[in-house]
Amino acid sequence: MNEKHAPLFHIAKRKSLTWYKAWGIRLLAILLALILDALITTLVTGLNPLGVYGTIFKGSFGSMRKFWVLMQNISILLCVSIAVTPAFKMRFWNVGGEGQILVGALATAACMILLGNSLPNAILIPVMVLASVAAGAVWGLIPAFFKAKWNTNETLFTLMMNYVATQLVAYFVIVWEVPKGAGKIGIINQSTEAGWFPMIGTNRYLINIIIVAVLTFFVYYYNRFSKHGYEIAVVGGSEKTARYVGINVQKVIMRTMALSGALCGVAGLLLVAGTNHTVTTSISGGRGFTAVMVAWLAKFNPFAMILTSFLIVFLERGASAISSDFGLNASFADIITGIILFFIIASEFFINYQLVFRKGHRKTEGKEA
Amino acid sequence: MRNITKTFGSIVANENARLDIYRGEILAILGENGSGKTTLMNMLAGIYFPDSGQIYYNGKEIVIASPKDAFEYGIGMIHQHFKLVNVLSAAENVALGLHEKGRFNIKKVAERIRELCDQYGFEIDPNEKIYNMSVSEKQTVEIIKVLYRGADILILDEPTAVLTPQETEKLFNVLRNMRDAGKAIVIITHKMNEVEELSDRVVVLRKGAYVGGVMTKDTNAEEMTNMLVGHTVKLEIDRPEPVNVKPRIKVEHLTVRNEEGLVKLNDVSFTANSGEILGIAGVSGNGQKELLEAIAGLQTVESGNICYIEDDGKEEQLIGKDPLSIQKMGVSLSFVPEDRLGMGLVGTMDLSDNMMLRSYRQGASPILDQKSPHALAENVVKDLGVLTPSIETPVKNLSGGNVQKVLVGREIASAPTVLMTAYAVRGLDINSSYMIYDLINRQKQEGVAVIYVGEDLDVLLQLADRILVLCAGQVSGIVEGKTADKLEVGRMMTRVGGTGSNE
């Protein structure tokens, strides 16, 4: 007889958890991930996992310089993450962060190269800000316009805009290459430092961090408390309802994507004027995509994104540190960080659901026999 | 089923519920919104797993942990929301998830479907794609799907909610055929007349628990309602005398085409007065939706006039204006649309955020005022008895009746001069329905021009002062509510002008 018995456990929705229990589950997930990582490290490489973890930690906190690099990387990633957030809240799948960063960076570089010798920094930098914001906004606005007017698929459209932006940068890199034939621009205005963001004290990166901190507050406030933010949420929730209460859906889509693109443009500005002082096709380093994950993990809360972007950058830097320190190839570092991320994402499931185990051990089975 | 308990988080859906199902019988399950009818049936169909309790089949205790288990015992459920793949044909949908031995043969599936159709009196083409089908045809596919899998116990969750009277009659015939073939049928419903017409036995659930079961022939609507609500209710609707009647909305020669170019409204003219309820009758899909949306500024109009008449007699054209400009003109027009979560509310937002949909623009500041909507939400919850865990609960988590109360509460709160409602009580239980009728009557007494689109003729005849009958987008006639004859209105619904007597 093919008799059934009650399953060992079933999944049930949880009563809402207190915040400290929810964070307890997340911490437990990280702990479990570290244990699994340790086992894999020992079995596969024979290295002492504690040593590996120490290196990961040192990759970010090993020296003052490393710490500031960590902070700088977090600020750029955070900037892109808060940039894509308004669009995502509107359920507009903007995966064009890459392209929007690139055109922002390109606009900044253009100002620095073309106007660096003729304008003083006090005028040049505001011009760069305007140029990068405008470039990013336009890059965001184009797919939004087509979406609003003809309901094109924004995911494909923004994705394709990335390639256009990459090629645009590639073209201008050759136009402005220094020296001729080098195939790259090199450091712009190295001697005059025209258009470079000023150092605060001796710190090159602090200004970027401050700018992003201010923007994070702004986006949080904009989403949560402004009328615009409310309209975004309504359009994201139901376009029909938005029309029903007289919200101009097309306008909201375009306005929001312009904002989203503009903030990505700012990220490009920070990269060129604040840190790299040059532009390459790979300057955004995939942040336009990584930011999507950062934003989702933080459930679109800009303050939680500080934490998630820290996590991602910390793991990335740790991974590169272990591959160089132990001579392991980069794939192994990716395995380690991948497992940690997987556990963190999976822990969200256990915050919303619980496993209910069968009561009365094997009682039903006994009856059948 | 015995002692079944199921909880979702802190919400108890079923508590020690019990139910018996017999072969060769049609069982109706009655219950208010959120009384746990659907949850109980989902546990039988293997969608949910009970927290505790036992299920017996032919006297033996069984465990149903998945829909597959349910099918092994011949239990099949037709859900309220169809679970079909649009781009596949009927036969392909039926074959989905089947693991029959041997080569997959869609022709054989189609053949078997035709046999089932002949046996029970369905009409369906197995090779038709789902997206080409009407709602009732889709439902037929769902029924065939479970029959194909050899179901002996069929559970239908509010099967008639989406059907026209004719389609309902057809469905009932099929169900009777199945009963006579020895199958057990369970239908979940709100409609008393369906219980009386179709079922052999009726079971009432209240607050997730079993209240009682009786043979249908031994009971009547009044008694069932009392069991349902838990106290005595009177099944009459008040019709207070209209007060201070003045023309408010004048519609002249309105013609509307839909996106496909089909004429949905054809030369419609009427006047809606303040202090009066204008009922709109008609088989659903005969232009009611387009009419209300045209007045609300959501529908492009081909020709005609819609005038809003102010207290001093000044007329203002509403055509060509969107909802925002109508609001800016100072016209306070409230609209309770048919699709509550899709159009009237945002499901993912909480009660408070939904309250400010109409009012969030107030004030010059770019910052939202979140305090007054919150207070309004609290008032609506208190005054209308909305059952919700909190103000911060997303409205999509509320049951249908409570969602409707939230929507009506918000629309009334803006002190409208015109209130339009489309199927305001669709899917609502008796208690909630009467509360809505009462609210609408109160608006009327405050001098609001109410336009009430309804599907239940009995209600329309009791509630409305005048009834406009729509048929194929034309005004089939306008009759006085007090003197109207149900049969005559019914005739006008199916043929323009009814038996000839035009207004």
Side-chain angles (χ1 to χ4, degrees):
Chain A
M1 284 284 277
N2 182 21
E3 284 287 355
K4 298 264 174 203
H5 52 79
L8 181 61
F9 60 83
H10 64 272
I11 293 158
K13 204 151 173 92
R14 260 184 210 282
K15 298 183 175 101
S16 59
L17 277 180
T18 47
W19 64 270
Y20 55 86
K21 276 192 183 152
W23 280 103
I25 289 175
R26 291 189 184 111
L27 277 177
L28 190 70
I30 294 178
L31 207 66
L32 286 173
L34 290 177
I35 292 170
L36 182 63
D37 272 344
L39 283 173
I40 290 174
T41 311
T42 323
L43 288 176
V44 176
T45 65
L47 293 168
N48 176 4
L50 289 180
V52 174
Y53 288 155
T55 308
I56 290 180
F57 187 77
K58 269 189 232 148
S60 295
F61 296 103
S63 67
M64 218 41 202
R65 206 194 99 74
K66 280 184 175 159
F67 171 75
W68 283 111
V69 170
L70 171 85
M71 295 301 280
Q72 148 70 10
N73 280 334
I74 290 173
S75 67
I76 301 284
L77 183 59
L78 182 59
C79 183
V80 186
S81 306
I82 58 169
V84 295
T85 301
F88 274 41
K89 287 207 104 162
M90 196 174 62
R91 301 190 152 263
F92 185 106
W93 308 120
N94 176 19
V95 289
E98 281 300 276
Q100 291 148 21
I101 299 168
L102 279 173
V103 292
L106 185 64
T108 311
C111 293
M112 287 164 75
I113 292 168
L114 302 174
L115 307 170
N117 297 325
S118 48
L119 290 177
N121 263 1
I123 299 172
L124 177 59
I125 289 181
V127 169
M128 285 156 50
V129 172
L130 280 179
S132 62
V133 165
V138 167
W139 224 248
L141 204 52
I142 294 168
F145 176 80
F146 280 83
K147 168 87 177 178
K149 294 291 174 206
W150 297 290
N151 197 24
T152 51
N153 180 317
E154 73 272 17
T155 314
L156 287 175
F157 209 123
T158 50
L159 198 62
M160 290 190 292
M161 293 290 285
N162 289 341
Y163 300 110
V164 179
T166 309
Q167 296 312 315
L168 213 58
V169 173
Y171 174 79
F172 280 103
V173 164
I174 301 304
V175 170
W176 292 325
E177 65 185 351
V178 180
K180 281 285 164 220
K184 60 179 185 183
I185 292 182
I187 304 295
I188 304 167
N189 303 343
Q190 188 153 30
S191 51
T192 59
E193 297 199 356
W196 291 29
F197 277 175
M199 297 212 274
I200 296 179
T202 55
N203 196 308
R204 176 65 64 206
Y205 301 134
L206 197 54
I207 188 158
N208 278 3
I209 295 164
I210 292 170
I211 291 171
V212 174
V214 172
L215 288 177
T216 306
F217 269 99
F218 165 75
V219 171
Y220 175 78
Y221 204 79
Y222 181 83
N223 279 342
R224 181 77 184 74
F225 296 107
S226 78
K227 289 178 182 174
H228 283 186
Y230 182 71
E231 287 179 342
I232 290 171
V234 174
V235 172
S238 161
E239 271 190 39
K240 264 195 188 164
T241 305
R243 260 191 284 275
Y244 156 85
V245 294
I247 292 174
N248 185 338
V249 176
Q250 303 187 348
K251 189 175 117 191
V252 173
I253 290 179
M254 291 197 275
R255 184 182 69 204
T256 308
M257 269 310 285
L259 174 74
S260 192
L263 287 170
C264 282
V266 171
L269 168 82
L270 299 183
L271 280 169
V272 174
T275 54
N276 293 21
H277 306 126
T278 184
V279 64
T280 63
T281 51
S282 60
I283 192 166
S284 60
R287 287 187 185 90
F289 300 114
T290 314
V292 175
M293 182 163 71
V294 170
W296 271 100
L297 269 179
K299 301 202 179 87
F300 305 119
N301 178 338
F303 291 137
M305 284 175 210
I306 299 176
L307 216 68
T308 49
S309 52
F310 163 78
L311 185 82
I312 304 273
V313 174
F314 173 78
L315 289 176
E316 260 174 20
R317 306 220 23 103
S320 68
I322 49 175
S323 47
S324 61
D325 273 29
F326 295 99
L328 298 169
N329 69 26
S331 310
F332 184 74
D334 285 343
I335 294 173
I336 300 281
T337 56
I339 286 173
I340 294 176
L341 276 178
F342 179 80
F343 269 74
I344 291 170
I345 294 168
S347 75
E348 296 301 315
F349 175 82
F350 289 98
I351 287 169
N352 292 321
Y353 296 92
Q354 60 184 346
L355 300 180
V356 179
F357 286 90
R358 183 173 62 196
K359 275 180 227 150
H361 187 59
R362 303 200 167 241
K363 195 175 117 205
T364 42
E365 220 173 39
K367 258 190 191 167
E368 284 157 19
Chain B
M1 299 177 90
R2 290 287 178 271
N3 304 322
I4 302 285
T5 298
K6 174 78 188 173
T7 56
F8 295 99
S10 52
I11 299 158
V12 180
N14 286 119
E15 198 169 10
N16 290 325
R18 47 169 291 187
L19 191 69
D20 296 295
I21 299 168
Y22 300 101
R23 283 173 204 285
E25 186 185 74
I26 298 180
L27 171 70
I29 300 186
L30 268 173
E32 299 200 271
N33 297 119
S35 62
K37 305 172 296 258
T38 305
T39 309
L40 189 63
M41 288 302 103
N42 272 333
M43 284 188 274
L44 207 51
I47 311 281
Y48 296 142
F49 190 77
D51 293 345
S52 65
Q54 301 84 40
I55 299 171
Y56 298 90
Y57 179 79
N58 288 344
K60 208 161 68 179
E61 182 172 351
I62 58 167
V63 173
I64 301 172
S66 72
K68 229 175 142 184
D69 290 358
F71 276 121
E72 266 177 48
Y73 296 109
I75 302 169
M77 182 156 173
I78 291 99
H79 297 270
Q80 215 172 341
H81 306 284
F82 303 139
K83 297 170 182 342
L84 296 168
V85 182
N86 264 328
V87 293
L88 297 183
S89 72
E92 285 164 335
N93 264 288
V94 169
L96 265 185
L98 277 179
H99 294 285
E100 287 180 330
K101 289 207 175 72
R103 243 179 91 234
F104 177 64
N105 186 346
I106 195 76
K107 280 205 188 106
K108 237 162 77 187
V109 176
E111 202 41 56
R112 177 90 184 93
I113 290 175
R114 284 199 191 92
E115 279 170 31
L116 285 171
C117 288
D118 293 343
Q119 194 178 345
Y120 297 110
F122 296 114
E123 289 160 23
I124 200 107
D125 174 8
N127 299 319
E128 185 75 54
K129 299 267 193 255
I130 298 295
Y131 61 80
N132 282 332
M133 289 186 177
S134 72
V135 175
S136 109
E137 286 172 318
K138 286 180 191 169
Q139 188 179 53
T140 307
V141 176
E142 285 281 15
I143 297 174
I144 290 173
K145 209 161 87 180
V146 298
L147 286 177
Y148 192 96
R149 285 162 169 73
D152 288 324
I153 304 173
L154 273 91
I155 306 166
L156 296 100
D157 192 354
E158 297 194 31
T160 60
V162 289
L163 302 183
T164 64
Q166 294 84 345
E167 290 168 336
T168 304
E169 201 38 57
K170 235 192 246 169
L171 172 70
F172 284 1
N173 283 332
V174 168
L175 292 180
R176 288 191 194 102
N177 288 342
M178 288 193 218
R179 172 193 59 194
D180 299 341
K183 297 197 186 298
I185 313 281
V186 181
I187 77 161
I188 301 177
T189 181
H190 285 303
K191 298 178 188 164
M192 289 294 168
N193 59 337
E194 289 178 359
V195 175
E196 290 179 318
E197 191 189 329
L198 181 69
S199 72
D200 302 305
R201 200 159 55 88
V202 52
V203 159
V204 178
L205 293 182
R206 189 165 71 231
K207 291 189 179 130
Y210 174 89
V211 181
V214 280
M215 301 309 285
T216 311
K217 60 179 189 322
D218 300 336
T219 187
N220 57 43
E222 202 91 17
E223 194 186 354
M224 285 190 279
T225 313
N226 293 347
M227 270 164 76
L228 198 78
V229 184
H231 53 83
T232 315
V233 287
K234 65 173 181 28
L235 287 177
E236 275 158 35
I237 306 167
D238 287 336
R239 178 165 37 205
E241 279 303 307
V243 282
N244 196 14
V245 178
K246 266 191 290 189
R248 175 105 314 152
I249 295 269
K250 199 170 75 189
V251 175
E252 288 172 325
H253 309 297
L254 183 69
T255 299
V256 167
R257 281 176 197 274
N258 70 358
E259 281 167 11
E260 282 88 45
L262 280 169
V263 175
K264 297 303 283 185
L265 288 176
N266 189 358
D267 197 22
V268 169
S269 301
F270 67 91
T271 311
N273 298 324
S274 64
E276 191 188 76
I277 296 176
L278 175 68
I280 296 188
V283 178
S284 109
N286 272 276
Q288 295 96 321
K289 179 169 169 272
E290 288 76 11
L291 177 61
L292 295 194
E293 291 189 0
I295 298 174
L298 293 162
Q299 172 77 51
T300 35
V301 168
E302 184 165 288
S303 62
N305 282 316
I306 302 173
C307 286
Y308 177 83
I309 305 167
E310 286 182 30
D311 283 337
D312 55 13
K314 218 170 77 190
E315 292 189 8
E316 286 187 82
Q317 182 63 252
L318 293 186
I319 284 179
K321 301 208 166 62
D322 64 20
L324 185 58
S325 26
I326 292 177
Q327 198 183 330
K328 277 187 182 151
M329 279 162 54
V331 176
S332 180
L333 198 124
S334 281
F335 178 24
V336 178
E338 179 181 349
D339 183 5
R340 296 155 203 166
L341 282 178
M343 187 164 185
L345 299 166
V346 180
T348 48
M349 287 186 166
D350 67 17
L351 271 70
S352 172
D353 281 354
N354 270 297
M355 284 299 154
M356 58 182 168
L357 273 169
R358 287 274 187 207
S359 60
Y360 79 95
R361 292 188 192 86
Q362 280 167 13
S365 147
I367 306 304
L368 283 174
D369 168 18
Q370 293 179 317
K371 271 200 197 117
S372 25
H374 195 271
L376 175 60
E378 276 176 349
N379 277 338
V380 169
V381 167
K382 206 172 71 204
D383 295 348
L384 306 190
V386 179
L387 285 180
T388 173
S390 76
I391 304 285
E392 284 77 32
T393 306
V395 287
K396 65 164 191 225
N397 293 356
L398 304 184
S399 71
N402 287 311
V403 167
Q404 183 69 324
K405 284 181 193 171
V406 170
L407 178 55
V408 172
R410 184 192 72 209
E411 290 300 294
I412 290 177
S414 60
T417 51
V418 180
L419 172 65
M420 301 191 288
T421 66
Y423 309 112
V425 299
R426 182 180 276 179
L428 264 59
D429 58 58
I430 302 232
N431 238 359
S432 310
S433 301
Y434 275 77
M435 183 164 224
I436 300 286
Y437 300 144
D438 198 39
L439 284 170
I440 289 172
N441 266 328
R442 260 190 272 164
Q443 291 298 307
K444 161 183 159 184
Q445 282 169 301
E446 279 168 28
V448 176
V450 180
I451 301 178
Y452 178 94
V453 173
E455 50 197 339
D456 188 334
L457 273 186
D458 293 314
V459 170
L460 273 170
L461 290 172
Q462 286 183 63
L463 182 70
D465 299 301
R466 287 184 305 142
I467 300 169
L468 182 153
V469 188
L470 276 178
C471 175
Q474 295 181 50
V475 178
S476 187
I478 300 181
V479 291
E480 285 292 318
K482 268 184 207 159
T483 54
D485 172 51
K486 187 177 169 186
L487 285 175
E488 176 62 17
V489 174
R491 273 193 292 273
M492 289 198 289
M493 282 165 62
T494 46
R495 202 169 61 225
V496 176
T499 45
S501 65
N502 218 325
E503 47 161 336

